[in-house]
Amino acid sequence: MQTKVENNKAWFLVLPVFIIVAFSAIIPLMTVVNYSVQDIFDQNTSYFVGAEWFKQVMLDSRLHDALIRQFLFSFTILLIEIPLGIGVALMMPTKGKSASLCLILVAIPLLIPWNVVGTIWQIFGREDIGLFGAFMGAIGVDYNYASDPVDAWSTVVLMDVWHWTPLVALLCYSGLRAIPEVYYQAARIDQASRWAVFRYIQLPKLTNVLIIGVLLRFMDSFMIYTEPFVLTGGGPGSSTTFLSQALVQQAIGQFDLGPAAAFSLVYFLIILLVCWVFYTTIMNMQKDK
Amino acid sequence: MTQSSTTHTNKSSAAKTYGTAETVQAPVYSRAERKARNATRRSRLGMVIYLVLLLLPIYWLINMSFKTNTEILSGLSFFPEHFTLDNYAKIFGDPTWYMGYINSTLYVVMNMVISLLVALPAAYAFSRYRFVGDKHMFFWLLSNRMAPPAVFLLPFFQLYSSVGLFDTHIAVALAHCLFNVPLAVWILEGFMSGVPREIDETAYIDGYTFPKFFVRIFIPLIRSGIGVTAFFCFMFSWVELLLARTLTSVEAKPIAAIMTRTVSASGMDWGLLAAAGVLTIIPGMLVIYFVRNHVAKGFALGRV
Amino acid sequence: MAWMSWTLPTALFFIGIGVILVGMTAWQIASPCVERRGFLPLDTTRGDRLFIGLLSSAFIHLVFVALTDANLAVATVLCAIWMIILMRWG
């Protein structure tokens, strides 16, 4: 790392970013805080209720379930996507036309609007018109994501793996590209096994990108909304209702501004905590280098 | 396997290949090299299987978009029997449909431009200077990238209504800045830190002012970083629906929100839905084609 | 501004946060602080400790609200003590 110059005038360069993000972040956040301590009937009628909504939110068993489901979901997809992504990155060709072609093809799912991702799997998983649903039926599995909670869950997980493994794969791929050829030559001279090459040469180089990958995947899966909304609508029952969905249901569906705001804040605090832990870890790792 | 046994099998296999007359090249390869070639073949195969599984759902959507609804509902087939372009004709013939694509493109481009313009100087500041609260500022920006839009959803509608921007493209573009500007700063900072400081110092000694140096020398140096950043801004703005849907009603309604129209009283119009979906994938593919050579570096956000 | 539906307590809360931030900035400029290690397993600056303190205070309040019916002021006092400990020895 190069040493940086102390210069407080640099603030002027950051100011535009600060203003533009603050407009969309701080004002709404303040408003959410205001809402969270009031019972709001309409624009002009509201009562101060103190911490009552927070109590309600903290003790609401539906939200506990959504939170547990959310963590379960995030850990499940991380457990699948990270190893799978590393595997795909190791398999990707490194040179020539086939390398760029692979890159483009692998990246396609990332650029599909999230509701279209939901639509694709909604169609793909149906037994009457979808290939996957028909395939499951043909091999004798009683599969219906719209009525069976287990099927709904596995379809949402499968969809997320399909959608986001490419991100992990491309991150790892770019990490692998940064390893100098000399390392591999040395390994060849030592007759190192494939596993040894992976364990002692490739994996250490991947740590950095993997942390970014885990951070992005954890955070983005923690706010997943559109895809399950289109695919299952949070059902059957509430088996695939994750945090964002529960929040939107409360805020838009029932128009409970106060409790929804309190819920938002609790949600935000959890995000802030996780984000801080990751950030500190990344920063300390960079310092150690 | 121990060292001695490896060389032993090596020798014996080499002897065997010498036995057959027409193999000229075979002995040149050592066991390790052959193993490596087999590994390459295996990974080729694995890659092909992965790509097929990856593209199958998308292919299914494309396949369906060329079918009539009767054919879709009458059974499964890998190719459309009665190939039709009706679904696409319906979209391109109806302004309420195709305006959705124009609206989406407009706010995505606006967002890209705004994000890059504000993020470039800020990223430079973060990569070159220390200033009061820099680390906390960076963390605050990052936390906004990570915060779920659903949290801010409640007041967004009122905020943009109160400043008279509701249902305009710029409103969606600004709202998407919430997560795209932090991301842009993050990626660009990575790329800029890779440019040696000496370049800056030499330029200042040569009498360049900061704006002149920044535009003439520095920006060309991180061209690929800017391309990759634009790609990421495009990507996250294009795929987002929740905020875009909340902040628009008619004038700036994105295509993703219009797609819900395919559900009607008479049931789903599957063919039309599939065609609309396919058309949303195309812009992304174009963009990734343009940045394909930089994307490997960019996906590591410039910090490998 | 009406749509933001301000209340006195929340206004005071945000003014308080604002004052703390301005104060910390002024303090930092007047006497820059170096990273050090206290009882937290991290090298921290004053600003880091303030952030850790505020975040943990928020969680303490939440847990307090969820588990007890006592007055919230008790939690606030607890948090104030925690903040002082954290800023001084953290």
Side-chain angles (χ1 to χ4, degrees):
Chain A
M1 272 261 130
Q2 307 160 347
T3 47
K4 296 178 186 177
V5 184
E6 184 95 42
N7 184 353
N8 279 327
K9 278 190 202 133
W11 256 107
F12 289 108
L13 296 174
V14 184
L15 205 59
V17 162
F18 177 74
I19 291 169
I20 212 158
V21 178
F23 178 74
S24 296
I26 293 186
I27 296 177
L29 190 63
M30 283 176 161
T31 314
V32 171
V33 172
N34 291 338
Y35 287 171
S36 71
V37 293
Q38 297 180 76
D39 195 357
I40 296 169
F41 294 101
D42 61 55
Q43 193 79 285
N44 304 313
T45 333
S46 56
Y47 299 99
F48 184 77
V49 295
E52 195 183 305
W53 299 136
F54 287 97
K55 195 174 189 72
Q56 190 182 316
V57 166
M58 292 295 284
L59 299 175
D60 189 341
S61 65
R62 271 185 317 151
L63 299 183
H64 292 168
D65 293 347
L67 183 69
I68 293 169
R69 227 174 277 138
Q70 181 73 70
F71 272 110
L72 210 62
F73 175 74
S74 292
F75 284 123
T76 311
I77 59 118
L78 278 182
L79 275 181
I80 302 174
E81 283 174 18
I82 299 294
L84 187 62
I86 297 176
V88 171
L90 288 172
M91 288 192 303
M92 275 168 84
T94 49
K95 288 183 214 77
K97 279 239 161 57
S98 61
S100 348
L101 185 71
C102 269
L103 268 179
I104 295 176
L105 290 179
V106 167
I108 288 177
L110 298 174
L111 287 147
I112 302 176
W114 293 343
N115 67 318
V116 180
V117 172
T119 307
I120 287 177
W121 281 89
Q122 189 190 15
I123 293 170
F124 203 56
R126 277 176 65 122
E127 200 161 348
D128 55 344
I129 58 170
L131 192 60
F132 181 65
F135 173 73
M136 294 300 270
I139 59 170
V141 182
D142 186 18
Y143 168 85
N144 187 341
Y145 68 79
S147 64
D148 184 71
V150 177
D151 291 347
W153 243 87
S154 33
T155 313
V156 172
V157 168
L158 187 65
M159 175 176 66
D160 200 82
V161 168
W162 177 83
H163 188 186
W164 288 109
T165 303
L167 182 76
V168 183
L170 292 173
L171 274 169
C172 293
Y173 178 75
S174 53
L176 289 174
R177 288 289 71 71
I179 303 173
E181 185 57 27
V182 195
Y183 284 46
Y184 292 117
Q185 279 164 9
R188 225 169 289 146
I189 290 165
D190 292 347
Q191 297 208 323
S193 69
R194 184 73 197 80
W195 170 251
V197 172
F198 175 70
R199 176 66 191 79
Y200 297 104
I201 298 178
Q202 294 175 320
L203 200 58
K205 277 281 178 180
L206 284 182
T207 337
N208 251 355
V209 281
L210 275 181
I211 287 179
I212 296 176
V214 171
L215 172 73
L216 284 176
R217 275 321 298 135
F218 185 82
M219 290 306 184
D220 285 348
S221 70
F222 217 76
M223 56 168 108
I224 188 169
Y225 169 77
T226 317
E227 300 100 309
F229 172 73
V230 174
L231 183 68
T232 63
S238 56
S239 55
T240 51
T241 303
F242 302 115
L243 280 180
S244 275
Q245 178 121 33
L247 177 56
V248 174
Q249 265 170 16
Q250 197 165 38
I252 311 283
Q254 305 164 13
F255 215 70
D256 280 341
L257 285 186
F263 181 13
S264 297
L265 284 177
V266 176
Y267 193 1
F268 185 68
L269 283 172
I270 296 173
I271 291 279
L272 208 56
L273 178 67
V274 179
C275 193
W276 179 78
V277 170
F278 271 108
Y279 182 73
T280 317
T281 318
I282 294 176
M283 282 301 144
N284 280 341
M285 282 185 54
Q286 280 179 355
K287 221 188 297 172
D288 290 343
K289 265 197 194 156
Chain B
M1 200 178 275
T2 60
Q3 190 75 28
S4 62
S5 76
T6 319
T7 40
H8 177 74
T9 45
N10 221 345
K11 252 181 225 160
S12 67
S13 68
K16 236 180 258 166
T17 40
Y18 267 120
T20 54
E22 71 272 14
T23 48
V24 185
Q25 268 190 322
V28 181
Y29 292 110
S30 71
R31 183 190 157 85
E33 272 172 274
R34 229 165 341 110
K35 231 168 137 188
R37 271 195 311 158
N38 279 338
T40 327
R41 212 170 296 148
R42 261 205 308 279
S43 63
R44 283 270 160 74
L45 186 69
M47 199 62 213
V48 169
I49 292 172
Y50 176 74
L51 282 179
V52 167
L53 291 179
L54 193 76
L55 297 178
L56 206 54
I58 299 173
Y59 172 72
W60 199 250
L61 191 77
I62 298 172
N63 176 23
M64 236 168 93
S65 71
F66 292 119
K67 292 178 179 177
T68 59
N69 274 321
T70 8
E71 195 192 337
I72 292 169
L73 293 172
S74 66
L76 302 169
S77 63
F78 269 95
F79 302 99
E81 267 167 53
H82 311 284
F83 186 87
T84 174
L85 286 172
D86 280 358
N87 298 316
Y88 290 95
K90 216 178 283 176
I91 290 171
F92 285 113
D94 183 354
T96 51
W97 266 107
Y98 66 72
M99 278 313 283
Y101 289 99
I102 298 176
N103 290 335
S104 292
T105 317
L106 266 177
Y107 71 69
V108 168
V109 171
M110 281 182 185
N111 171 270
M112 248 160 71
V113 173
I114 298 174
S115 300
L116 277 178
L117 280 183
V118 297
L120 274 170
Y124 182 79
F126 281 120
S127 81
R128 291 295 190 259
Y129 301 116
R130 261 182 300 135
F131 46 94
V132 178
D134 52 356
K135 287 203 186 82
H136 302 112
M137 179 78 187
F138 204 74
F139 172 70
W140 174 71
L141 283 176
L142 213 58
S143 72
N144 283 317
R145 163 65 183 79
M146 304 306 171
V151 165
F152 296 114
L153 198 63
L154 274 181
F156 254 52
F157 172 76
Q158 278 116 324
L159 171 64
Y160 282 93
S161 302
S162 74
V163 289
L165 286 177
F166 179 71
D167 203 16
T168 58
H169 301 99
I170 192 77
V172 185
L174 280 175
H176 283 180
C177 281
L178 179 65
F179 46 83
N180 268 350
V181 166
L183 188 71
V185 173
W186 196 24
I187 301 175
L188 285 172
E189 200 265 339
F191 275 96
M192 287 177 180
S193 298
V195 177
R197 291 192 55 86
E198 286 72 29
I199 292 179
D200 308 30
E201 278 147 22
T202 324
Y204 292 139
I205 291 166
D206 287 349
Y208 276 91
T209 57
F210 173 71
K212 211 171 159 196
F213 154 74
F214 199 71
V215 175
R216 290 268 181 80
I217 297 177
F218 200 70
I219 286 187
L221 277 175
I222 52 158
R223 260 200 324 263
S224 63
I226 293 176
V228 165
T229 313
F231 167 74
F232 270 89
C233 289
F234 173 92
M235 168 174 150
F236 281 107
S237 183
W238 182 256
V239 297
E240 206 277 341
L241 173 70
L242 193 55
L243 290 179
R245 196 183 58 187
T246 311
L247 291 177
T248 56
S249 63
V250 184
E251 289 299 314
K253 198 170 181 164
I255 180 61
I258 291 176
M259 280 176 68
T260 51
R261 287 202 330 186
T262 51
V263 192
S264 68
S266 58
M268 293 287 276
D269 191 344
W270 293 110
L272 191 62
L273 183 68
V278 170
L279 288 177
T280 62
I281 303 176
I282 292 170
M285 293 190 64
L286 287 179
V287 171
I288 198 162
Y289 178 77
F290 285 122
V291 293
R292 67 189 180 284
N293 293 327
H294 306 297
V295 102
K297 192 176 179 209
F299 265 100
L301 311 176
R303 46 186 84 232
V304 184
Chain C
M1 288 293 266
W3 60 270
M4 288 179 78
S5 56
W6 283 100
T7 62
L8 186 64
T10 50
L12 287 177
F13 172 74
F14 280 112
I15 291 171
I17 298 275
V19 167
I20 291 176
L21 284 183
V22 172
M24 290 295 283
T25 313
W27 189 10
Q28 177 69 22
I29 291 170
S31 71
C33 100
V34 265
E35 288 203 344
R36 66 166 171 80
R37 187 174 287 234
F39 65 80
L40 292 174
L42 299 165
D43 292 331
T44 51
T45 61
R46 275 198 296 255
D48 296 335
R49 289 195 293 277
L50 177 75
F51 176 78
I52 296 169
L54 288 177
L55 191 61
S56 50
S57 298
F59 278 104
I60 291 173
H61 274 97
L62 280 180
V63 171
F64 194 84
V65 164
L67 297 183
T68 66
D69 284 318
N71 197 327
L72 209 54
V74 181
T76 313
V77 172
L78 278 177
C79 287
I81 298 169
W82 164 237
M83 280 294 276
I84 292 169
I85 296 172
L86 198 65
M87 291 302 278
R88 178 66 190 81
W89 293 285

